[in-house]
C-alpha cells in the first residue's frame, strides 16, 4: 500500500487531524432538520399522484379544508409562480437544452407516480395525513411511457404538457473517423448494457422546517446541496431575494439527491399561507419513490483493436432515461458524453448521447453524475476485448491508458496531472500481492476483476463557476471562516478550516467555520461536481493570503524584519532564519486592529471560463480538472446459488494532494462501497415508474459483512488544480466498483452472458453458469409467473451477449 | 385515536414518566421527549440508526414497543457519553479514526459498539462486523467505524478503560 508523501513544510496538510464536526456528531449533539422543533409549528404533508401518467381533470380540496385543525390546502392554482426554469446555482444563463421546467405542484399532465398535486398544513401530522386522504382528484389516466428508447420515437406518448417531443438533449463528441477505422481493427467487440436507477438511499430523508421572521423574511432550515435555490423558491412564492432565506442544516447524507429542490418550496408556500412555522418530513417510502435517481442508461458500445491490443476505434450510442422532469439530466448527460470513451487513447471515437423524458421518477444527480454508467460499459468492453485478444486485461489497459499530455476526444489536453498509469499499476500490484486460488475450500469459485476510471472535478467551465469565502481574524488570535458551503458530511467545512489553520500557523481548533446561510455567509456555489475543495478551498487560500500580507506588513513594522523573511507557525510569526525571533500571532492581530487595519477579507475564486460548446460537436475544454482511479475486486461465487461474495476490494486514486488523510480515505472508501452493490442488490424494482422496493428491507445496501477490509492505494502526484495540488475525490471514488465486481464475477464463472444488464442478480449469474442467457426482466415478476425451474422464461437473446468479430 | 397512557422508565439514568399512545414505539417516545440523538430513519428495524441500550442490550428502538419498556432502563448515545467512560472513549475514538462523515448513523453505531465491547469484547474485526451488521452507514464504507470499535475493544481488553 502506498503511503502518503507528506510534505515536510506542511504542518496540517496530509495529516489525520480530527474534523471539527465529528465531535458533536459522535456525542449525539448534532441536530439534523428533523431534530429541530419550534413553538406553534404546523405539520405538512404532500398529496401525490396515484398514477405515473394522467391528465388532471379536477382537484377538489373542499373536504380537506373543512377538517378542523387543517390550516392550509394548496394546489397549483394557489402558487404565485408555479412553473420556473430549473437552475442549479449557476451565475450565468446558459439557456439551450440545459434549463428545463421546475413545477412546485403538478398542473396539466401528471408526469410520474408521486408528482405532488397538493400540500397540506395542519395542527398534527395525523390530521395532515387525513386531510390528504380527503382530497378528491379526478384523473384522465394515460398510458405513459417508461422506456426512453420508446419515448424517443416520434409517435410516443408525450410526457409533458409543454413540449412537442420527449427528447431532452442530444450530444456528440467525435474524433478521427470511426466508420473508416473499423476496417483497420483485428478484433471488434460490440455489446449492449443497461445501468439501473441507483438510489442514494441516504439515511436522512428530505426534511425541513420554516417560519416567517419579524421582517417578513420566509426563513428555512432545510438541508440542501444548492443554497442558491433560494432564488427559485423566492420566485415561486412570489417574493424577492431578500425575503427568502435558507439557514440550512447539516445533512444526513446527500450524494446528489439533495441537489434538486425537495421540500423547500412546499414549506415556504405553507409558511406564507398560514403565517405559522411549518415542518415537512418525507417518509422513507416517500423518499425512495420520490427523490431523483441516477439516470438509467441504455448503452450500445463497439470497441476495436489491433491484435497487439492497440485500441483503434470506439463508438457508443447511449439513451438516457431523464424521468419526468429535466432537473439535472442535461448536466448528467454532459458528464456521460465527456467521460464515455474512458481514460484511454483511442484515435477514432464517437460518443453520442440522447436523453429523454419518461413517466418514471425523475433522474438527476447521483454521486458520479453520469460517469459511473459509461464507466460500467467501457470497463466491461475492455474485459471482453482482452478475452477476445487472449491477453490479460491489465496489459490491455496499460497499453492504452492516457498519459500526461495526451488529448482527450474533444481535443483538449488536460491541465491537471494525469496519473492513470501509476494508479492502475498501483492497484494491480496490490491485488496481485496475494495469490489467487481458483476455488475456496467450500467449493466456491474465485475470480478477479479490475477497472479504471476518470472523473471530472469542478463544474463545467462554460458555467463560469465561482466561490467566495470570508476569513476574519479575532482579537484573541482565533479565526472565523464564513462560507456558504453546504456540508453533506464529507468534511467540506472542516477542509476550509484546516486550510486556514495551515496558512496562519494555528491549530484546527483555533478556526471555526460558520457555514451555509444564504444571507449571512458568502455564497460558495453548489456542493456538487466534487467542486467544494477545488473552488472554496482555493477561495479560502486566496483570502488567507490576502490576510497574511496584511499581518506580515504589520509584523515587519513591529519586528523590523522584511516581511518576505517572516513565516507563520506555532501561533507565531517568526524570523525565517531564527525561530526564536518571533511575535505571537495574537499580538500582531491586535496591533493590526489598533492601527485600524482590515481584519476581514472576502475572496472570490473563479474556475477557468469557456463558451457554451456546440452540443452536436463538442470541442475543447469543458471541465477544470480530472481525477484518475482504479479498482481491483476479488469475489467468490457459489455455483449452486449464483451468489457472489466480495473477498477483496483494492481501491486506488491519485489524490493530487491529500488535505486530510482521514477525510480523503473516508471519501475513497465510502465511494467504493456506495457503488459496490449498485450492479447487484441495489434494485428499486421499478414497475411502470413505481419503486416496489422502497425501504432498506427490499433495496439492499452494503452492510458491514457485505464488504471486506478495504485496501487503499493513495497516490499523490501533487498535480491537481485544487489547494496544494489537490484533486477531488468525492465522486471519482465511485467509478470502477460496479465493473470491477462484474468483471470479477465473470472471471470466476468463466462466462460473460447475463452480466451486462443491471441488476446482475444471483439468478442471472446462476443461469449464466448453466450457459443460458436471460432477457432483462424483473426477478420478482418472473419468479411469480414461471414454473419452479424458471425454464419457460429463459430467452435466447443474442444481442445481449457480446458480438465478437475476429479478423485474425 | 387511542387513549394515552403513562409509562415509567429510566432514561439515561433519570427516572421519567412518558405520556404515550399504546402503539407508540420506543423511538417515538424518546424523540417526543427531546432525545434527538436517537435518529428516526427507516422505522422498520433495518438500519440501526435508532439503536439504544435496553437493560444493557443494544436494541432498535423503532421496533420496540414503548409500553413494553415500563420499569426498564434505556441509555442513548448522548447519555452514555456523559456517564460512561467506555462510551465516552468510543465517541472520541470515532473522532480520531475519521469514522464520522454525515454522522446520522453514528449515535446508533456507538451504542451498538458499546453493546459489543461490554457484551462480547473480542477485538476481532470479523466478530465486530457481524455484531454491527444491523447498522447501516451510507457514507464511510465502514472501514473506519470498525477501526474505532476495534481500537477501543483492544484498550478495554488491556484494562485501559
Amino acid at each position: 500500500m502506498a503511503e502518503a508523501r507528506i510534505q515536510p513544510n506542511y504542518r496540517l496538510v496530509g495529516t489525520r487531524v480530527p474534523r471539527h464536526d465529528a465531535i458533536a456528531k459522535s456525542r449525539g449533539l448534532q441536530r439534523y432538520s428533523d431534530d429541530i422543533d419550534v413553538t406553534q409549528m404546523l405539520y405538512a404533508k404532500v398529496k401525490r399522484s396515484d398514477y405515473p401518467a394522467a391528465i388532471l381533470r379536477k382537484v377538489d380540496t373542499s373536504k380537506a379544508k373543512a377538517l378542523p385543525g387543517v390550516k392550509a390546502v394548496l394546489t397549483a392554482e394557489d402558487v404565485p409562480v408555479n412553473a420556473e426554469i430549473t437552475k442549479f446555482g449557476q451565475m450565468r444563463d446558459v439557456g439551450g437544452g440545459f434549463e428545463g421546467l421546475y413545477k412546485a405542484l403538478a398542473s396539466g399532465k401528471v408526469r410520474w407516480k408521486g408528482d405532488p398535486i397538493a400540500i397540506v398544513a395542519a395542527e398534527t401530522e395525523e390530521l395532515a395525513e387525513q386531510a390528504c386522504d380527503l382530497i378528491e382528484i379526478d384523473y384522465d389516466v394515460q398510458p405513459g411511457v417508461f422506456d426512453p428508447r420508446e419515448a424517443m420515437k416520434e409517435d410516443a406518448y408525450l410526457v409533458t404538457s409543454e413540449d412537442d417531443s420527449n427528447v431532452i438533449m442530444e450530444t456528440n463528441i467525435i474524433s478521427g473517423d470511426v466508420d473508416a477505422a473499423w476496417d483497420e481493427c483485428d478484433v471488434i467487440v460490440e455489446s449492449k448494457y443497461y445501468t439501473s436507477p441507483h438510489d442514494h438511499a441516504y439515511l436522512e430523508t428530505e426534511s425541513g422546517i420554516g417560519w416567517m421572521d419579524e421582517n417578513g423574511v420566509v426563513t428555512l432550515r432545510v438541508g440542501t446541496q444548492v443554497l442558491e435555490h433560494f432564488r427559485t423558491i423566492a420566485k415561486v412564492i412570489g417574493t424577492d431575494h431578500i425575503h427568502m432565506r435558507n439557514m440550512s442544516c447539516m445533512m444526513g447524507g446527500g450524494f446528489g439527491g439533495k441537489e434538486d429542490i425537495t421540500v423547500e418550496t412546499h414549506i415556504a408556500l405553507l409558511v406564507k399561507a398560514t403565517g405559522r412555522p411549518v415542518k415537512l418530513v418525507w417518509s422513507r417510502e416517500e423518499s425512495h419513490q420520490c427523490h431523483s435517481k441516477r439516470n438509467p442508461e441504455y448503452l450500445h458500445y463497439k470497441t476495436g483493436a489491433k491484435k497487439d491490443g492497440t485500441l483503434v476505434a470506439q463508438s457508443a450510442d447511449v439513451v438516457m432515461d431523464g424521468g419526468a422532469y429535466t432537473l439535472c439530466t442535461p448536466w448528467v448527460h454532459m458528464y456521460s458524453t465527456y467521460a464515455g470513451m474512458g481514460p484511454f487513447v483511442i484515435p477514432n471515437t464517437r460518443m453520442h448521447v440522447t436523453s429523454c423524458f419518461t413517466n418514471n421518477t425523475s433522474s438527476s444527480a447521483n454521486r458520479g453524475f453520469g460517469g459511473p454508467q459509461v464507466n460500467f460499459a467501457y470497463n466491461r468492453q475492455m474485459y471482453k476485448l482482452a478475452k477476445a485478444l487472449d491477453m490479460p486485461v491489465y496489459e490491455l489497459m496499460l497499453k492504452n491508458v492516457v498519459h500526461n499530455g495526451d488529448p482527450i476526444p474533444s481535443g483538449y489536453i488536460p491541465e491537471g496531472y494525469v496519473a492513470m498509469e501509476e494508479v492502475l499499476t498501483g492497484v494491480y500490484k496490490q491485488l496481485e500481492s496475494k495469490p489467487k486460488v481458483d476455488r475456496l475450500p467450500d467449493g466456491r469459485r474465485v475470480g478477479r476483476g479490475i477497472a479504471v476510471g476518470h472523473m471530472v472535478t469542478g463544474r463545467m467551465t462554460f458555467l463560469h463557476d465561482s466561490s467566495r469565502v470570508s476569513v476574519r481574524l479575532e482579537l484573541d488570535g482565533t479565526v472565523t471562516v464564513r462560507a456558504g458551503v453546504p456540508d453533506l458530511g464529507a468534511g467540506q467545512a472542516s477542509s476550509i478550516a484546516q486550510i486556514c489553520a495551515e496558512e496562519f500557523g494555528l491549530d484546527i481548533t483555533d478556526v471555526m467555520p460558520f457555514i451555509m446561510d444564504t444571507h449571512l455567509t458568502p455564497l460558495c456555489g453548489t456542493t456538487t461536481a466534487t467542486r467544494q475543495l477545488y473552488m472554496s478551498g482555493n477561495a479560502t487560500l486566496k483570502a488567507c493570503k490576502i490576510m497574511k500580507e496584511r499581518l506580515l506588513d504589520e509584523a515587519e513594522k513591529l519586528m523590523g524584519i522584511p516581511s518576505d523573511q517572516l513565516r507563520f507557525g506555532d501561533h507565531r510569526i517568526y524570523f525565517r532564519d531564527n525561530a526564536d525571533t518571533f511575535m505571537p500571532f495574537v499580538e500582531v492581530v491586535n496591533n493590526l486592529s489598533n492601527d485600524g487595519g482590515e481584519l476581514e477579507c472576502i475572496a472570490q475564486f473563479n474556475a477557468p471560463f469557456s463558451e457554451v460548446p456546440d452540443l452536436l460537436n463538442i470541442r475543447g475544454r469543458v471541465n477544470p480538472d480530472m481525477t484518475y482511479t482504479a479498482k481491483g475486486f476479488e469475489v467468490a461465487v457459489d455455483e449452486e446459488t449464483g451468489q457472489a461474495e466480495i473477498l477483496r476490494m483494492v481501491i486506488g486514486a491519485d489524490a493530487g494532494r491529500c488535505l486530510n488523510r482521514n477525510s480523503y480515505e473516508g471519501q475513497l472508501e465510502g465511494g467504493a462501497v456506495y457503488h459496490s452493490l449498485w450492479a447487484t442488490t441495489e434494485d428499486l424494482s421499478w414497475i411502470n415508474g413505481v419503486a416496489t422496493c422502497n425501504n432498506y428491507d427490499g433495496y439492499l445496501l452494503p452492510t458491514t459483512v457485505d464488504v471486506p477490509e478495504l485496501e487503499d492505494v493513495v497516490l499523490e502526484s501533487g498535480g491537481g488544480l485544487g489547494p496544494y495540488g489537490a484533486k477531488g475525490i468525492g465522486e471519482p471514488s465511485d467509478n470502477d466498483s460496479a465493473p470491477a465486481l462484474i468483471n470479477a464475477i465473470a472471471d470466476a464463472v468463466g462466462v460473460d452472458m447475463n452480466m451486462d444488464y443491471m441488476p446482475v442478480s444471483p439468478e442471472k449469474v446462476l443461469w449464466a453458469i448453466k450457459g443460458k442467457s436471460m432477457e432483462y426482466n424483473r426477478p420478482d415478476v418472473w419468479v411469480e409467473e414461471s414454473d419452479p425451474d424458471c425454464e419457460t422464461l429463459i430467452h435466447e437473446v443474442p444481442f445481449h451477449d457480446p458480438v465478437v468479430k475476429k479478423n485474425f | 385515536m387511542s387513549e394515552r397512557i403513562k409509562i415509567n422508565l429510566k432514561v439515561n439514568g433519570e427516572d421519567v414518566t412518558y405520556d404515550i399512545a399504546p402503539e407508540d414505539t420506543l423511538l417515538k417516545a424518546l424523540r417526543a421527549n427531546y432525545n434527538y440523538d436517537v435518529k428516526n430513519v427507516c422505522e422498520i428495524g433495518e438500519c440501526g440508526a435508532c439503536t439504544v441500550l435496553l437493560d444493557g442490550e443494544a436494541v432498535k428502538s423503532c421496533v420496540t414497543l414503548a409500553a413494553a419498556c415500563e420499569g426498564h432502563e434505556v441509555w442513548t448515545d448522548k447519555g452514555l457519553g456523559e456517564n460512561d467512560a467506555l462510551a465516552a472513549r468510543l465517541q472520541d475514538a470515532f473522532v480520531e479514526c475519521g469514522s464520522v462523515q454525515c454522522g446520522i448513523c453514528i449515535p446508533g453505531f456507538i451504542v451498538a459498539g458499546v453493546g459489543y465491547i461490554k457484551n462480547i469484547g473480542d477485538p476481532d474485526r470479523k466478530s465486530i462486523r457481524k455484531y454491527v451488521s444491523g447498522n447501516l452507514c451510507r457514507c464511510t464504507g465502514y472501514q473506519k467505524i470498525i477501526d474505532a470499535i476495534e481500537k477501543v475493544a483492544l484498550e478495554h481488553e488491556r484494562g485501559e478503560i
Side-chain angles (χ1 to χ4, degrees), chain A residues 517-594:
Chain A
D517 187 315
T518 52
H519 289 71
L520 292 187
T521 53
L523 290 172
C524 289
T526 62
T527 298
T528 67
T530 311
R531 68 179 278 291
Q532 284 297 6
L533 178 61
Y534 168 54
M535 297 296 300
S536 302
N538 275 331
T540 306
L541 207 52
K542 194 172 166 186
C544 285
K545 288 197 167 141
I546 293 167
M547 290 312 302
K548 279 168 80 174
E549 277 174 28
R550 292 175 190 164
L551 287 165
L552 286 173
D553 288 348
E554 188 70 24
E556 181 179 294
K557 272 197 289 178
L558 294 164
M559 296 169 74
I561 299 169
S563 62
D564 62 352
Q565 294 171 28
L566 294 172
R567 298 289 181 271
F568 289 78
D570 294 328
H571 301 83
R572 296 167 173 181
I573 294 175
Y574 62 89
F575 178 36
R576 181 190 63 188
D577 299 333
N578 179 6
D580 290 336
T581 306
F582 68 90
M583 272 194 80
F585 178 79
V586 63
E587 272 186 38
V588 183
V589 173
N590 276 280
N591 276 287
L592 183 63
S593 174
N594 287 337

Side-chain angles (χ1 to χ4, degrees), chain A residues 64 69 103 112 141 149 163 188 215 267 281-282 286 289 457 474 541 590 671 701 725 731 771:
Chain A
K103 282 188 180 180
W112 57 291
V141 178
R149 296 168 301 178
D163 306 283
I188 296 169
N215 301 314
I267 293 173
V281 180
W282 285 6
E286 194 174 16
Q289 172 62 35
T457 70
E474 303 299 342
L541 207 52
N590 276 280
L701 304 190
E731 292 178 277

Side-chain angles (χ1 to χ4, degrees), chain A residues 44 51 73-74 107 117 125 155 171 221 251 274 277 295 325 461 528 551 596 605 615 696 707 717 721 760 774:
Chain A
Y51 302 97
V73 183
L74 308 177
S107 61
I117 294 171
E125 216 173 335
D155 57 346
T171 51
R221 291 215 66 180
M251 269 160 279
T274 62
N295 294 72
Y325 283 87
T461 42
T528 67
L551 287 165
F605 174 77
L615 294 181
Y696 298 126
V707 287
S717 67
L721 305 184
V760 183
M774 223 173 85

Side-chain angles (χ1 to χ4, degrees), chain B residues 37-109:
Chain B
D37 55 325
V38 186
K39 301 300 179 191
N40 180 5
V41 171
C42 77
E43 296 188 277
I44 58 167
E46 284 287 337
C47 80
C50 65
T51 304
V52 297
L53 287 187
L54 180 63
D55 300 336
E57 290 283 335
V59 301
K60 293 172 177 177
S61 62
C62 72
V63 287
T64 303
L65 200 61
C69 297
E70 168 77 34
H72 292 270
E73 187 174 6
V74 174
W75 285 91
T76 72
D77 176 39
K78 184 167 176 282
L80 279 168
E82 289 164 357
N83 290 280
D84 181 294
L86 174 77
R89 175 67 199 116
L90 189 59
Q91 289 175 345
D92 289 346
F94 267 63
V95 176
E96 292 158 18
C97 295
S99 321
V100 180
Q101 289 190 26
C102 90
I104 198 163
C105 71
I106 297 300
F109 260 109

Side-chain angles (χ1 to χ4, degrees), chain A residues 5-144:
Chain A
R5 288 183 288 111
I6 294 167
Q7 297 292 308
N9 52 334
Y10 294 138
R11 295 172 316 105
L12 287 174
V13 168
T15 66
R16 297 183 187 275
V17 60
R19 282 167 50 169
H20 80 286
D21 56 324
I23 297 164
K25 286 171 175 176
S26 70
R27 292 181 187 170
L29 304 173
Q30 181 67 55
R31 295 272 182 106
Y32 301 87
S33 47
D34 187 23
D35 303 331
I36 301 164
D37 288 341
V38 298
T39 54
Q40 300 189 326
M41 189 171 76
L42 297 171
Y43 295 85
K45 286 281 169 194
V46 183
K47 174 70 177 176
R48 297 181 179 280
S49 168
D50 296 316
Y51 302 97
I55 296 166
L56 280 179
R57 280 204 193 111
K58 193 173 176 230
V59 182
D60 184 353
T61 59
S62 54
K63 285 182 188 161
K65 281 178 176 160
L67 188 68
V70 172
K71 297 294 170 189
V73 183
L74 308 177
T75 63
E77 290 174 5
D78 306 310
V79 183
V81 182
N82 189 48
E84 165 62 349
I85 301 295
T86 313
K87 289 205 174 155
F88 289 88
Q90 66 266 32
M91 300 301 285
R92 183 187 188 212
D93 294 325
V94 287
F98 287 101
E99 290 164 350
L101 209 57
Y102 164 80
K103 282 188 180 180
L105 292 167
S107 61
K109 270 183 178 170
V110 165
R111 299 190 190 181
W112 57 291
K113 170 80 167 68
D115 216 347
I117 294 171
I119 45 176
V120 173
E123 295 287 354
T124 68
E125 216 173 335
E126 290 77 13
L127 274 172
E129 257 167 38
Q130 278 179 38
C132 280
D133 292 341
L134 290 172
I135 297 170
E136 291 169 353
I137 302 169
D138 184 10
Y139 298 98
D140 179 2
V141 178
Q142 299 292 309

